[in-house]
DNA sequence: GTGAAAGCGCTAACAG
DNA sequence: CTGTTAGCGCTTTCAC
């Protein structure tokens, strides 16, 4: 009889070792660990042997046999972004309550990297994946074909894939009502890739409020600090008639604060700013930022829940987004005076 | 001959299907996909068949056979904390360059959860893990016994496990020199669990500067916003003779800013503040915060590199930590006058 | 209740 | 170069 002893890491203890040590068949050991019908007496014996041998069932063996991988895959554009970190935290919290491991990948908002990570997920036999998609609908065809349960979060690039969204349109509308109430008319929207829905909501709400949307005031940046800063600074310098900005993400909001500071544009005196996402620093910022808040953790938690929930077909859910007024917006003053 | 057609997700395409379709043996297909010696002609044939069948090798099968899991596990206390998010980003970046998936778990700085996640990693046959440890040395015994390659990051609870650390002692020393240079004597250190090395460095540096360390001025908080705020506010209210604080993490720094604001303690006029970690909002804060900066991404990247690097035994590395002076510190004024 | 045996998809000998 | 075969650790009929 072979006992494992400290330092004998030669071979992993397997179900066979336990069976042998307990004097039972492997099937019985399996039943003990996966809740099959076993007599109390045998269960005790097996558990004792397992403990003695420091046995852990191998997820690899089980998954291979069951032709599934278990666990959930998570794809986000950038884990250092407060919103996505919150989303990831929600997914992790939900997964933990199910005892499922989470494999995460960052796409950098780059369709090519996304495609690559999707491939990895398929190879891993991952069978559920929560993703903030960045590529087009076609990108997800292989995953769907492979039978993965995919749930989109925040964005939704295919109607046949359920998602957890936030009511950004409503958030934008509220923000715009607030801004126009303060007298602002020349309002810009600073967007990132994949925010077309927000941009559409912006122009819609604008026209609903009787303001002609100026295409020049809708600008796009890539998902990097550099790009965000460059675009923000460019906007501020080229359009001095601007009196308010809505930033589509906290990265963009950060860029506006920095660029404004650099260009000696005072917030909220010269420029009003509303940004997406109530990250912790919004309150610490000078001035504290008025934000369109979305429940990041909830989005992640619900998405993971949808992914994990067996059985019935998941449905798309939309969570609310609301305005939190702080001190970054003020009444409109004479346009263009700050240059 | 069975062709897969859209919607026929009955069974995953296996190496056997490809072998059959290409008219070769399974071993040959395996060789094609894992770089064995194959004639160009056969390779073409196999690749064509694989493409036609939309074949992806199963990592499950491969890993089971090779008795390893591949990929790397990552354990951090809190993914929404800017520093750990940066660390995770570094790990993910490195892992991506090796084509390895990363499974992440958050421990909430709770040894019990940590133990549980370590168990999960073992069951997953994970063979490398990068962790910011929160429990004691014993906690890691099962992982080590199971033959996992573990690399610690930021903290190090066992001498026999290599780690990637930052030179916090030097950072604390520099910060203290700066503070004492400004005339401060009653300086507090706000710490979290696992920051004993920093606390030690703090008292050492203090005595080296000829200041008697006051044990009451070293306070500990748990890793939650609530706990951090409560402890910060308590400190501020109980010790009005305090003129400077070093916060051991950005969570703690945030709490001090908020608590000071609430208690009408002005920074830097009434209170000087230096916090650990140069998170993006440190610059946006009012006032911009002087920080002890540590290269979060690098720590993660190097740790992942150590974990992934085969062969020679990894050695512990220490990365620099430096002071970035901004506007949250000022000369000491009459103590206690702000209460 | 319990054991024996057949694979899950793949790779590593070992022959040819 | 290439095919055959024997498992990796586990679950799951199917007998007993």
């Amino acid at each position: 009889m072979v006992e494992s002893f400290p330092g004998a890491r030669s071979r992993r203890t397997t179900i066979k070792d336990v069976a042998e040590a307990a004097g039972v068949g492997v099937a019985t050991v399996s039943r003990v660990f996966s809740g099959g019908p076993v007599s109390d007496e045998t269960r005790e014996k097996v558990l004792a042997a397992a403990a003695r041998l420091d046995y852990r069932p191998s997820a690899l063996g089980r998954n291979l046999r069951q032709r599934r991988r278990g666990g959930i895959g998570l794809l986000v554009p950038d884990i250092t972004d407060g919103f996505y970190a919150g989303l990831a935290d929600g997914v992790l919290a939900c997964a933990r309550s199910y005892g499922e491991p989470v494999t995460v990948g960052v796409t950098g908002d780059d369709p090519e990297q996304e495609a690559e990570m999707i491939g990895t997920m398929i190879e891993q036999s991952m069978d559920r994946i929560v993703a903030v998609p960045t590529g087009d609908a076609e990108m997800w065809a292989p995953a769907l074909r492979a039978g993965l349960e995919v749930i989109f979060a925040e964005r939704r690039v295919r109607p046949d894939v359920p998602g957890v969204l936030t009511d950004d349109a409503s958030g934008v509308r509220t923000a715009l009502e607030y801004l126009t109430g303060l007298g602002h008319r020349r309002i810009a929207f600073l967007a990132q890739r994949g925010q077309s829905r927000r941009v559409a909501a912006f122009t819609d709400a604008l026209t609903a409020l009787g303001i002609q949307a100026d295409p020049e005031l809708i600008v796009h940046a890539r998902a990097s600090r550099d790009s965000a800063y460059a675009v923000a600074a460019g906007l501020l310098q080229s359009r001095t008639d601007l009196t308010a900005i809505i930033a589509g993400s906290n990265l963009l909001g950060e860029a506006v604060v920095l660029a404004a500071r650099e260009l000696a544009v005072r917030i909220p005196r010269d420029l009003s700013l509303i940004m997406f996402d109530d990250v912790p620093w919004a309150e610490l910022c000078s001035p504290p930022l008025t934000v369109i808040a979305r429940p990041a953790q909830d989005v992640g938690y619900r998405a993971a829940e949808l992914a994990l929930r067996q059985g019935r077909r998941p449905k798309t859910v939309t969570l609310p987004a609301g305005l939190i007024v702080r001190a970054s917006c003020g009444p409109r003053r004479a346009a263009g005076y700050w240059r």
Side-chain angles (χ1 to χ4, degrees), chain A:
Chain A
M1 194 190 310
V2 181
E3 290 278 337
S4 81
F5 56 90
R9 313 195 285 75
S10 51
R11 202 174 58 78
R12 181 187 175 115
T13 309
T14 80
I15 200 171
K16 216 168 149 188
D17 301 325
V18 179
E20 208 168 308
V24 301
V26 290
T28 303
V29 179
S30 171
R31 287 189 194 101
V32 168
F33 282 93
S34 37
V38 190
S39 77
D40 286 354
E41 189 191 1
T42 332
R43 161 168 291 114
E44 286 312 316
K45 249 188 339 195
V46 170
L47 253 21
R52 186 150 29 89
L53 296 183
D54 196 19
Y55 168 71
R56 292 275 194 169
S58 155
L60 239 43
R62 175 188 307 130
N63 291 336
L64 179 58
R65 177 59 228 246
Q66 296 183 156
R67 298 131 143 279
R68 49 179 229 90
R69 170 41 154 55
I72 121 168
L74 170 64
L75 255 38
V76 290
D78 174 12
I79 194 70
T80 65
D81 177 303
F83 179 76
Y84 297 124
L87 192 153
D89 195 49
V91 170
L92 288 162
C94 180
R96 181 173 55 236
S97 74
Y98 281 75
E100 301 276 16
V102 177
T103 298
V104 355
V106 302
T107 62
D109 231 335
D110 171 11
E112 204 168 313
Q113 279 187 54
E114 177 174 79
E116 200 177 307
M117 315 234 71
I118 293 175
T120 304
M121 297 290 181
I122 297 177
E123 289 186 3
Q124 297 291 326
S125 304
M126 210 59 99
D127 31 29
R128 341 165 172 283
I129 156 171
V130 169
V132 177
T134 98
D136 57 17
E138 241 346 275
M139 196 130 277
W140 293 91
L144 265 14
R145 219 178 309 131
L148 271 84
E149 173 83 70
V150 6
I151 307 285
F152 285 149
E154 194 198 19
R155 320 211 266 245
R156 192 153 174 240
V157 295
R158 302 177 63 117
D160 57 341
V161 168
V164 177
L165 309 176
T166 48
D167 194 356
D168 298 356
S170 153
V172 169
R173 214 176 303 126
T174 311
L176 233 26
E177 283 164 0
Y178 175 56
L179 250 18
T180 52
L182 287 169
H184 296 281
R185 291 295 175 274
R186 299 233 151 277
I187 305 170
F189 193 97
L190 215 52
Q192 266 176 221
R193 291 191 66 254
Q195 301 190 335
S196 48
R197 280 177 62 246
R198 274 176 232 180
V199 171
F202 176 72
T203 53
D204 287 356
L206 226 42
T207 52
L209 289 163
I211 301 176
Q212 163 107 39
D214 178 346
E216 243 191 31
L217 289 183
I218 296 175
V219 294
H220 289 261
R222 272 172 300 109
S224 73
R225 287 214 149 69
D226 283 354
S227 168
Y229 183 84
V231 170
L235 179 66
L236 253 28
Q237 289 183 293
S238 65
R239 293 296 299 251
T240 53
D241 57 331
L242 203 59
T243 67
I245 294 185
I246 297 180
S249 72
N250 61 81
L251 199 70
L252 259 11
E254 180 188 321
V256 172
V257 172
L258 255 19
R261 208 176 274 181
E262 192 61 38
L263 296 168
V265 175
R266 288 156 299 180
I267 298 175
R269 191 189 144 100
D270 303 335
L271 180 74
S272 288
L273 171 64
I274 294 180
M275 107 180 153
F276 258 87
D277 300 332
D278 187 27
V279 288
W281 63 263
E283 197 176 350
L284 302 172
C285 188
S286 168
L289 261 36
T290 292
V291 298
I292 297 170
R294 301 181 296 162
Q297 333 253 350
D298 284 356
V299 172
Y301 198 97
R302 299 290 299 268
E305 215 166 33
L306 287 184
L308 255 10
R309 177 133 55 213
Q310 315 282 16
R312 68 176 170 297
R313 183 106 196 85
K315 282 210 42 171
T316 288
V317 338
T318 300
L319 269 23
L323 193 70
I324 296 182
V325 175
R326 289 201 265 256
S328 61
C329 297
R332 162 174 155 250
R333 304 174 40 112
Y337 82 106
W338 45 271
R339 285 287 286 182

